[in-house]
Amino acid sequence: MRKTACTSVIVGKKASIDGSIMIARTEDYHGPVNPKTFVVHAPEKAENRSFFSENTKLTYELPNEALRYTATPSDDPNELGNYASASINEANVATSATESLYGNEKVLAYDPLIPGGVAEDAINDVVAPYIKSARDGVIYLGEMIKKYGSAEGNGILFADCEEAWYMEIPTGHHWVAVRIPDDCYAVAPNHVCIEEIKFDDPENYLYSEGIQDFVEKYQLNPNPDGFNFRKIFGTYRELDRVYNTPRQWFAHKILDPSTNYDPLSGDIPFLGKAKRLISHEDVAAVLSSHYNETVYDPIGQLGTEAEKKRFRSISLSRTSQGHVLQMRPELPERLRGIIWLSFGTSAFNPYIPYFSYIEDTPVQYKTVPQEVDLENAYWLAKIFGYYAEHHYAEFHRETEEYRYAMMAYGRRRVAEIIEGAKDKSDAELLRYLTEENQKTADYYIGETQKKLKSFMKRALADSKLSFLMDKNL
């Protein structure tokens, strides 16, 4: 069973520039090739519905009716499990599953993980089609954890058009979830992040049955005057200070430049209240970052080799995809869910917008051939990222200009599609958004191919087997 190493960002509706709610995450793996697709599942009705996990061998019992939902599953024939990762369903509920995290040895001693329990490979597919709100998602998954136990430590993001929730499951049966305040943003980088829990505030906090008794019974709370979930359940290890906390530091630095946290601190706040409003481009900038303009940038010019290798960055060559799931309550119901999607290394690949109320996804995203194919969205992004990185000094300015041009296109494209959607029935809108998504994909693929071909041709001159020759020879 594979755990992904990700970075998550959540933005409340009063913290965003346009009143939208956003949940966002990168999905990072261990190997260089991790094929991902973008698909949609039609609504279904079936008796005695179930879902079998090839990883944990757990059969989930599911409701008989499912909602239409998008997903970004794996398409690797050598991998067990779907890892559907991110979705928006037709009730305008977004799910991003999961942010891997780890409980400490004290809590795991008394509530160990359950090898045959709920795991990341299945969470999106067994939750997203069956929930009608973000809060509903927390409660629904919480009941699954109560019934089956959890196979791994995970953080799950939920959003609808009114609120966003973040849920952390560090042990076999215990979890908490917090409603992100409307005027705040949050950052989670692979460790337990949720802090003080208010058990007398059910509107903003949810938690597993018996969690207070569990902590009291085994004397796990280092500060009994409160209930700081991170202090009780989380880890404070050297690995955190290399792998996790620097990402949290830099994400805050981008979203709120006035912050002055220490990248080695294990107590960087989970929640932030920026002195400016946050756009989807700001969130994408976090997911695309690699300690830019600091000594810790692995591909920068400022640091020593030791400094460049000191911290794990947010954007990686091992990133399979990144997403910003944007819920826009000011729009008509069927237009509210927008998926900003980036395959491959998001330091070099832009976030492209796709509407979620669709009957099919663009053909370039539906499957991934086993061999490299530059007509395919995943392969194109992977190869583009390779050339952009390995010829960074030569192509960096052009790569950035390409990314900014595509982001401007994406923002303009969303406005065009919204304008064209006026006065359409639900059935007409379903077809219209499907067709418009395809047009968006065609443009993105075409522009990326042109830029990549330019890079490939010019890169041929970069060879050590070259010499200044006499033209007459």
Side-chain angles (χ1 to χ4, degrees), residues 398-415:
E398 288 181 66
T399 302
E400 288 295 276
E401 289 174 349
Y402 153 79
R403 288 179 64 244
Y404 290 137
M406 290 305 303
M407 287 189 288
Y409 165 78
R411 179 177 277 266
R412 184 169 64 251
R413 185 76 178 124
V414 168

Side-chain angles (χ1 to χ4, degrees), residues 29-35 317-320 344-345 378-379 382:
Y29 291 124
H30 303 293
V33 178
N34 303 279
S317 64
R318 269 46 176 168
T319 300
S320 63
T345 309
Y378 175 80
W379 277 122
K382 288 297 293 185

Side-chain angles (χ1 to χ4, degrees), residues 106-123:
K106 296 186 291 293
V107 294
L108 288 171
Y110 303 112
D111 186 22
L113 298 170
I114 308 301
V118 177
E120 176 182 0
D121 68 308
I123 285 178

Side-chain angles (χ1 to χ4, degrees), residues 77 151 154 162 192 217 268 401 428:
N154 282 316
E162 294 298 325
V192 174
K217 176 180 179 180
I268 297 174
E401 289 174 349
E428 290 171 335

